[in-house]
Amino acid sequence: MTPSTPPKHQWVETEDGSLTLFSEEFQEACHSTSGAVQETKLHYLQGCQIETKILSDDHLSILEVGFGLGIGFLTTYDVLKNQNKPWSFLSLEIDHELLEWFRLQNLEHPFLKNLTWRENILEAKNEMIHLQILCGDARRVLPEFLKSQRLTWNAIYQDAFSPKRNPVLWTKEWFTLLKTYSTATALLSTYSASSSIRKSLLEAGWILHKGEKFGPKRTSTRASLQGETDPDILLQLSRSPATALTDDNLQEILRK
Ligand SMILES: C[S@@+](CC[C@H](N)C(=O)[O-])C[C@H]1O[C@@H](n2cnc3c(N)ncnc32)[C@H](O)[C@@H]1O
């Protein structure tokens, strides 16, 4: 049965049988139509090595850019719920109605039934898991939130809408902020392999690696703060006329 539909969205069935949402506002679906859950597992759980990190790192702290319909969190929850180790998940979402819809959908869920609004934060917590979703424009609410927290993250799911639809979450300045609060072992993973985005990441100080292919996309991007950038990526970028996306040039670049 198709669940109720959040305002300004439509359901889309994807090839692995899971559903995603199409946003009327951004004119884009939240996931690849090749499979919403499969894409999430590949790009985010595998891409950020979540199952290794929960065992090896002191505390697994995940940042997700774009909460959407919550597949990133729910898939992570399914994989980690029986691990006897604490982990936290901080996510960012501009759409208040979408978050309220998510809360109401999950009143029976063993963990999410405790979701509660605390000002602009939707939050649930137990002995092992701490979920916080900051509601508002990530470019404003995340820096504001960080002023009052001693927080770092070691995994980043960079899952904003595409750079064309959602450019402010793909600029050099955005990736610099993400790097500032990353631990030395942090991994950032994203479905995008655009040259312009890769240049933004490089200029912000990230080290780049090729990610897996999914659906019609030939590759994706993984980034870390240790090691060296894959020489094939450096060669490809040196041949590409694309420039890094910055807060200053994004309108001009996207018009081209
Ligand atoms: C691709 S979807 C995320 C999908 C999600 N990770 C999931 O697994 O369901 C991107 C989300 O980013 C949100 N978004 C767009 N612009 C934003 C902004 N400036 N700040 C915070 N969230 C934003 C959109 O409303 C949308 O829900």
Side-chain angles (χ1 to χ4, degrees):
M1 202 176 73
T2 311
S4 74
T5 312
K8 297 182 272 129
H9 289 83
Q10 288 152 29
W11 287 110
V12 178
E13 187 169 353
T14 70
E15 282 169 27
D16 66 3
S18 60
L19 298 176
T20 189
L21 287 172
F22 178 85
S23 161
E24 289 168 6
E25 196 166 333
F26 288 90
Q27 286 295 304
E28 201 165 281
C30 281
H31 298 89
S32 157
T33 52
S34 300
V37 169
Q38 288 312 318
E39 178 186 34
T40 302
K41 286 184 177 162
L42 183 77
H43 286 324
Y44 304 113
L45 280 92
Q46 249 178 264
C48 289
Q49 299 174 10
I50 292 301
E51 286 180 89
T52 309
K53 278 190 173 297
I54 188 83
L55 300 175
S56 62
D57 291 19
D58 282 347
H59 178 91
L60 174 60
S61 168
I62 300 168
L63 174 75
E64 178 185 52
V65 182
F67 187 77
L69 59 155
I71 294 184
F73 176 77
L74 289 165
T75 311
T76 307
Y77 175 86
D78 276 348
V79 166
L80 298 184
K81 64 177 186 271
N82 296 325
Q83 295 279 352
N84 203 23
K85 283 195 80 178
W87 56 282
S88 53
F89 195 100
L90 175 64
S91 190
L92 305 164
E93 178 53 58
I94 200 166
D95 186 340
H96 188 277
E97 289 180 318
L98 186 58
L99 289 181
E100 184 55 9
W101 167 85
F102 181 80
R103 188 183 73 76
L104 294 173
Q105 286 293 301
N106 286 290
L107 296 175
E108 312 272 313
H109 187 279
F111 174 70
L112 294 168
K113 67 182 178 195
N114 295 320
L115 271 174
T116 312
W117 283 105
R118 194 167 47 83
E119 296 180 356
N120 69 328
I121 304 175
L122 190 57
E123 182 170 37
K125 198 173 180 172
N126 66 18
E127 325 69 64
M128 290 298 163
I129 312 168
H130 190 188
L131 167 66
Q132 287 175 298
I133 311 162
L134 309 187
C135 182
D137 182 347
R139 292 298 304 266
R140 182 179 55 77
V141 294
L142 183 60
E144 195 55 40
F145 180 73
L146 291 167
K147 280 186 200 160
S148 60
Q149 306 286 321
R150 277 171 58 88
L151 188 67
T152 53
W153 39 72
N154 42 15
I156 303 174
Y157 300 178
Q158 171 66 26
D159 196 20
F161 282 127
S162 66
K164 248 199 157 37
R165 302 281 181 201
N166 210 184
V168 294
L169 297 181
W170 297 93
T171 65
K172 173 184 170 185
E173 290 81 357
W174 175 246
F175 292 132
T176 303
L177 175 74
L178 299 192
K179 178 175 172 245
T180 305
Y181 292 88
S182 291
T183 64
T185 59
L187 295 175
L188 176 153
S189 187
T190 182
Y191 64 88
S192 175
S194 110
S195 296
S196 157
I197 290 338
R198 284 181 165 177
K199 286 186 180 178
S200 307
L201 278 161
L202 263 187
E203 287 191 17
W206 289 91
I207 289 152
L208 304 187
H209 317 276
K210 256 187 276 175
E212 291 76 9
K213 94 176 263 325
F214 185 75
K217 280 189 191 281
R218 285 203 311 271
T219 181
S220 54
T221 305
R222 311 285 176 250
S224 68
L225 298 170
Q226 290 170 338
E228 282 180 21
T229 291
D230 187 331
D232 287 348
I233 293 187
L234 286 179
L235 184 65
Q236 172 236 331
L237 294 183
S238 70
R239 291 175 175 161
S240 162
T243 41
L245 202 58
T246 67
D247 286 350
D248 290 336
N249 72 8
L250 60 87
Q251 297 305 344
E252 182 196 330
I253 289 196
L254 294 170
R255 261 201 305 273
K256 282 183 190 164

